[in-house]
Amino acid sequence: MVTFNLAYTAPINPAGAAPTLAVPQVWAGLQRKVRRAQDFVPIILECNVLSEETEPRTGNLAVTREVRFKAGFEPSAGAGGALVRETCVHFAPCRVDFEQPDGSTISNIVGEGADGELLMTYAFEWRYPDVREGSEEAKALEEKSWKTAKTAVHGSIDTIRRLVKDGKIQ
């Protein structure tokens, strides 16, 4: 088994980006991403919300959904184009955790840098139970995981900005 723990961070409002996004807009975008993942992440083809509930112990919203990944990008649980059930736990207004059946976890985090700039970080714990550590397959998966992380962060920021421009997020 191999597990990749990695994180990628990008500025939400780099120089020249317009409109400038505020935390409430980014949070609204992350909430929308839970329900319409295919609009934000190019490797997700389909997203179906199955249930929503407030966790009694924490008061956090938990959304259970199924997503289908693009061939070649699916986690171990989604091999062969199978739907992957995820539980998406909201920690307003700064984080959503996506928990997959194989134990893989993705956290979408909105934070602030030293100079007050808004940052988006996606932290991944990708688990591949059938892949041998140190193998060529593991090396290829790690490289693909880094590319996926970068694409997901930038794709999410770009989509949120477009939704704000289009008036779909205020």
Side-chain angles (χ1 to χ4, degrees), residues 28-91:
L30 289 179
Q31 290 175 301
R32 186 177 180 118
K33 181 178 174 275
V34 166
R35 291 163 181 77
R36 298 211 31 91
Q38 68 274 19
D39 296 344
F40 291 79
V41 183
I43 65 166
I44 295 179
L45 302 174
E46 178 183 347
C47 178
N48 304 301
V49 172
L50 304 175
S51 66
E52 295 186 31
E53 67 180 10
T54 301
E55 293 184 336
R57 188 173 54 80
T58 63
N60 293 330
L61 177 64
V63 175
T64 301
R65 69 181 191 178
E66 288 182 328
V67 294
R68 187 180 318 276
F69 289 85
K70 185 176 180 180
F73 292 91
E74 59 270 60
S76 59
L83 288 167
V84 176
R85 186 176 291 230
E86 293 183 323
T87 301
C88 311
V89 182
H90 296 66
F91 298 86

Side-chain angles (χ1 to χ4, degrees), residues 104-152:
S104 294
T105 303
I106 302 99
S107 296
N108 294 187
I109 304 163
V110 179
E112 193 174 292
D115 296 325
E117 71 276 23
L118 284 181
L119 303 170
M120 184 170 289
T121 299
Y122 283 11
F124 298 86
E125 177 188 10
W126 288 120
R127 295 181 179 204
Y128 295 94
D130 299 327
V131 176
R132 189 173 49 82
E133 191 158 346
S135 68
E136 288 303 313
E137 182 181 13
K139 290 175 189 171
L141 281 170
E142 184 174 22
E143 184 178 321
K144 187 188 303 185
S145 295
W146 277 107
K147 288 179 183 175
T148 298
K150 292 175 184 178
T151 299

